[in-house]
Amino acid sequence: IGENNNGTNGTNPNGNGGPNHQAEGTSLVLPPCNAFLRRCLYETIEDEYPGLILEKAGTDQMERNQIRVIRLSPMEKKRREVRLRQENWDNLLHDIGFTVLFQAISDACNGKSFSKEQTSRFLDGLSPELSTSIVAENGNGEQKTGRKIPLVIHNGLHDLMFLLTHCHNASLPESFEDTKKIIRGYFPVVCDTKVLATEYSDAIIKTGKTYLEELFNTTCGVNGDTLSLKVPPVVNQDGKSQGQAHEAAWDAYMTGCVFNALCNRILESKNRPHHDLTLERLLHDSSHSLLREWVGMNMIYMH
């Protein structure tokens, strides 16, 4: 093996037994053999030549029965370790898929902080944490975590339980209260605009249609409340239609707009004794009892 580095007898002079093996020493692909013989070769070569690296030659039928033997310099070995670590991490991210996004939303809802540096470290496999906890002292010297961001949904209990079965555990607790405890662990403050419309809004909203698109048209349409929200254009996946209900991006936009409009309507009716309570202060500075009383915080159930 030590002499076979000139491109003959199965040696790869470029060290590129695939696109990811470029500039990684010299390699030799051994002839195909059965599993028993491959095990013997692995144990014997690794024992007698500890400086060599052995791996599967590839993924097709022929290559799976072959062994690639690689000789690396110290610098090449270091580059290989970095590459393999990154590939393993990328494969893990691919396998867990949406769970990363689920965890990011949960972290934001629990008051954690995100930074470009921390995100890069996570994506590069250098840190298992996607975010960092915020702990500061208030005026009384007590520790206070970051502000918890509310999760706003529309008739979304079924969606939350679906997420739990895919990102938490495939089986939900038998008790509905236990399920809600898990939801609150991931999302401490949940506001459902369906509940907000049917139980906490004025008579005009309560007696009208409360499915999402109709609520949006009522509260945020031409005759609805004027919103001071700056949002990018929301275009559906086909790149043509815009403003189509039941498309994820547009539904999310409508849910946010409806929540903002309904809360402002509630504040206008409740706020006469003290006009300084804004939606911002209601969400972040008010007690949970007030949030529950005015906007139905954590009141989530099927409609």
Side-chain angles (χ1 to χ4, degrees), residues 163-204:
L163 289 175
L164 289 184
T165 59
H166 286 70
C167 303
H168 173 74
N169 192 307
S171 300
L172 294 176
E174 293 185 7
S175 166
F176 179 53
E177 287 303 315
D178 289 341
T179 299
K180 290 181 69 172
K181 287 179 183 179
I182 298 174
I183 293 175
R184 286 195 293 270
Y186 284 107
F187 311 109
V189 180
V190 180
C191 294
D192 191 327
T193 52
K194 182 74 171 183
V195 175
L196 195 58
T198 57
E199 300 187 29
Y200 294 87
S201 296
D202 54 72
I204 296 176

Side-chain angles (χ1 to χ4, degrees), residues 149-157 160 183 187-197 255-256 259 263 279 282-283 291-292 294-300:
I149 297 176
L151 178 71
V152 181
I153 57 179
H154 182 82
N155 203 14
L157 175 58
L160 291 176
I183 293 175
F187 311 109
V189 180
V190 180
C191 294
D192 191 327
T193 52
K194 182 74 171 183
V195 175
L196 195 58
T255 301
F259 176 72
C263 285
L279 177 57
L282 173 66
L283 293 177
L291 277 169
R292 190 176 183 86
W294 282 20
V295 298
M297 182 194 78
N298 290 341
M299 299 291 287
I300 49 176

Side-chain angles (χ1 to χ4, degrees), residues 31-49:
C33 56
N34 59 40
F36 176 77
L37 185 54
R38 288 199 303 275
R39 170 57 58 189
C40 293
L41 289 171
Y42 271 113
E43 294 177 354
T44 302
I45 296 175
E46 288 176 346
D47 182 59
E48 296 190 12
Y49 302 93

Side-chain angles (χ1 to χ4, degrees), residues 238-259:
D238 57 16
K240 300 176 182 178
S241 57
Q242 183 173 351
Q244 180 66 46
H246 306 298
E247 288 280 351
W250 186 251
D251 280 359
Y253 169 66
M254 288 195 295
T255 301
C257 289
V258 167
F259 176 72

Side-chain angles (χ1 to χ4, degrees), residues 105 108-112 146-152 187-190 284:
I105 297 173
C109 289
N110 278 280
K112 293 187 176 182
R147 295 198 312 182
K148 292 179 171 58
I149 297 176
L151 178 71
V152 181
F187 311 109
V189 180
V190 180
H284 297 297

Side-chain angles (χ1 to χ4, degrees), residues 78-91:
K78 186 175 182 179
R79 283 201 301 265
R80 173 186 167 84
E81 291 173 352
V82 171
R83 174 180 65 78
L84 291 177
R85 184 171 63 244
Q86 183 64 52
E87 287 180 1
N88 290 335
W89 183 253
D90 290 343
N91 290 335

Side-chain angles (χ1 to χ4, degrees), residues 266-285:
I266 292 171
L267 283 173
E268 287 176 6
S269 64
K270 303 273 190 184
N271 221 7
R272 295 189 182 108
H274 43 294
H275 294 278
D276 59 339
L277 186 56
T278 62
L279 177 57
E280 174 79 8
R281 291 187 58 194
L282 173 66
L283 293 177
H284 297 297
D285 298 333

